[in-house]
Amino acid sequence: MRKSVLAIVLAAASAPASAAFFQIAEQSASGLGNAFAGGAAIAEDASTLWYNPAGMTRLAGPQLIVGGSYIRPSFAANVLSASTAAGAPFSGGGGDAGVNAFVPNLYATYPISGRVSVGAAVNAPFGLVTSYPDTWAGRYYALRSDIKTVNINLAAAFKLDHTLSIGLGANHQNIDAELTQAVDFATLCSLGAFLGIPGAAACGAGGGFTHPSTPNDGSAKVTAKGDAWGYNAGVLAQLGAARVGIAYRSAVKYKLDGSFDVTAPPNVPNALLTDPRFLLVDSTAHTDVTLPSTLSLSAVFETQGPWTLMADVTRTNWHVLPELRIKLDSGASDQVVTLNLKDVYRYSAGVNYRASDKWVLRAGVALDRSPVPSPMDRTPRLPDSDRRWLSVGAGLRASQSVYFDVAYTYVKLADSSVQKTDGGVGSENAFRGNLSANYQGSVQIFSAQIRWSF
């Protein structure tokens, strides 16, 4: 029984810490209005640095964009059943894990000549905040998940001729994560008593497999930080009235350093906490996490009238992360968590309507597939499923040098479920009990940006 609580906590957090369903696509208000259709080909402002750096060659002069998105998610859990590791049923209800968040972004581009442009961007490509009530029935799998990233992207673009441009960028990314869950000391003390650990019979809920309650719960928290490098590249081709872009963002390989802290009820004996079969002690740990690469193909068709049509297909390559391997500084053997994530596609289509010299109206739809293959692999930390987007937006030229963009998106998540089974001693979900819950989810996004042209 070498499965530590550290491994258990990180197992629950492994998908949010490295998966597309906590990718943040909302990197510009102008793009959001089209559900990011044509993102690698539209190249209408400095945010093209992120979606396809080759597009910087289409910008006539220097630009600066300051923007952000306010995201309102809902992940409402309806708990069908829950029980302890020993099979004793308990209540606690569900809850809405969604937490509102603001995601800023900054872009600057500068044409050095008619053929060469450079730029810089600061944004947050991944992020997650979910939080459940302390007494919800799945608290042994997840309470709070808070993951932040900051990405700095420097890029350059070169126009080969009047139809073809290429771009290349370097990215430095930081990640900061904090993940918490409750720990069922009522069951752990009962198991410790059965194993003959001194003092275990008197702790927890009195030494028997009894109905757990919050006073018998402890807590566990994992914090982790790290930084890594990656790159992005793109090609942009003008083919008559159509423009086609191909953009690639590399995988980002992290080496994370972290700590594990556990808080136990005061009557839990130290002999149980330090027993190698439980390892309920504070520790440091390390793990390697790879955030996946993406490949986008976009097309934009500009009609002779006021309409612009656009489409995009983006593939996210999850096969780079088949497992999470956790190395404990205590000297215990590696802990391996199978993730089972799959490669997925995102499809989007959009339209712009130029109502006047000052106003542009935007709309778009998207289907965003989830990489989670089954209810057994889905985590309560982010109960993700396939998403359908509906976006609208508008752009206003306030003057020759100032431009405003606003957008709104409603994202509907397909109904999903979480099925977790405690397989007993040595299993991946040991000491966390059984959980069956259905989820309904949606996300609302409000985005705005201001653009200065010089």
Side-chain angles (χ1 to χ4, degrees):
M1 186 171 64
R2 302 291 293 177
K3 178 65 68 174
S4 71
V5 174
L6 173 61
I8 293 168
V9 173
L10 286 178
S14 56
S18 56
F21 43 6
F22 107 103
Q23 275 183 315
I24 301 176
E26 300 79 26
Q27 302 301 339
S28 77
S30 56
L32 183 66
N34 300 122
F36 302 103
I42 187 66
E44 63 179 333
D45 61 37
S47 66
T48 189
L49 189 156
W50 175 257
Y51 297 103
N52 184 349
M56 291 189 294
T57 61
R58 288 184 52 83
L59 307 180
Q63 288 191 12
L64 174 65
I65 291 178
V66 177
S69 295
Y70 183 68
I71 304 174
R72 296 182 59 186
S74 174
F75 302 108
N78 175 29
V79 176
L80 303 179
S81 63
S83 62
T84 68
F90 65 92
S91 60
D96 191 334
V99 177
N100 300 343
F102 177 74
V103 180
N105 50 68
L106 175 69
Y107 303 96
T109 57
Y110 184 82
I112 295 177
S113 68
R115 303 183 70 179
V116 179
S117 296
V118 296
V122 181
N123 59 0
F126 296 88
L128 168 69
V129 181
T130 56
S131 184
Y132 290 91
D134 289 345
T135 57
W136 93 286
R139 59 190 178 270
Y140 304 130
Y141 285 91
L143 282 175
R144 182 173 177 84
S145 307
D146 189 348
I147 302 171
K148 304 180 183 72
T149 61
V150 176
N151 190 88
I152 299 175
N153 192 170
L154 303 178
F158 181 73
K159 182 182 290 187
L160 299 175
D161 56 34
H162 68 283
T163 63
L164 188 64
S165 297
I166 59 174
L168 180 65
N171 294 262
H172 184 259
Q173 195 173 114
N174 290 88
I175 192 168
D176 191 343
E178 180 178 307
L179 311 161
T180 70
Q181 69 177 61
V183 179
D184 179 9
F185 274 98
T187 298
L188 288 169
C189 288
S190 297
L191 182 57
F194 175 78
L195 295 172
I197 297 175
C203 76
F209 287 106
T210 60
H211 185 291
S213 59
T214 302
N216 299 123
D217 286 349
S219 64
K221 178 174 71 173
V222 167
T223 58
K225 293 183 179 181
D227 65 287
W229 288 89
Y231 68 92
N232 61 314
V235 177
L236 187 65
Q238 187 72 47
L239 307 175
R243 191 160 57 252
V244 177
I246 299 175
Y248 177 78
R249 298 199 71 87
S250 73
V252 180
K253 299 180 179 181
Y254 278 101
K255 292 186 179 294
L256 298 180
D257 295 320
S259 65
F260 168 68
D261 301 292
V262 62
T263 301
N267 56 339
V268 174
N270 190 62
L272 186 145
L273 298 176
T274 58
D275 190 287
R277 293 168 292 188
F278 295 96
L279 294 177
L280 299 169
V281 294
D282 295 351
S283 178
T284 56
H286 307 276
T287 187
D288 296 335
V289 171
T290 300
L291 302 184
S293 63
T294 61
L295 179 64
S296 298
L297 172 63
S298 298
V300 172
F301 180 76
E302 296 173 323
T303 69
Q304 295 182 351
W307 298 95
T308 301
L309 310 178
M310 58 203 72
D312 177 86
V313 178
T314 294
R315 177 185 172 93
T316 305
N317 299 305
W318 293 115
H319 66 273
V320 299
L321 190 61
E323 65 178 22
L324 176 68
R325 184 172 294 272
I326 304 159
K327 299 179 180 180
L328 304 178
D329 291 341
S330 63
S333 59
D334 292 354
Q335 305 299 312
V336 181
V337 179
T338 303
L339 298 178
N340 289 326
L341 299 180
K342 62 180 182 179
D343 295 346
V344 289
Y345 287 88
R346 183 182 186 274
Y347 310 91
S348 57
V351 61
N352 284 353
Y353 177 74
R354 187 166 296 280
S356 68
D357 291 340
K358 290 187 175 181
W359 285 96
V360 174
L361 305 180
R362 301 184 173 93
V365 295
L367 173 61
D368 196 359
R369 296 294 191 185
S370 171
V372 182
S374 72
M376 286 69 71
D377 298 301
R378 187 171 290 114
T379 170
R381 293 195 182 277
L382 182 57
D384 194 63
S385 58
D386 290 350
R387 305 179 181 209
R388 287 174 169 81
W389 291 48
L390 177 61
S391 297
V392 293
L396 170 64
R397 180 178 293 280
S399 69
Q400 285 297 108
S401 59
V402 179
Y403 200 97
F404 295 97
D405 279 289
V406 294
Y408 169 79
T409 293
Y410 178 78
V411 182
K412 175 60 179 174
L413 278 72
D415 292 350
S416 63
S417 62
V418 169
Q419 302 288 337
K420 296 295 184 183
T421 302
D422 192 323
V425 174
S427 72
E428 195 165 288
N429 296 328
F431 319 131
R432 299 169 69 185
N434 306 300
L435 176 67
S436 175
N438 290 337
Y439 280 85
Q440 291 184 322
S442 64
V443 184
Q444 295 187 77
I445 307 164
F446 306 85
S447 187
Q449 69 181 38
I450 180 171
R451 181 176 86 208
W452 292 272
S453 299
F454 303 98

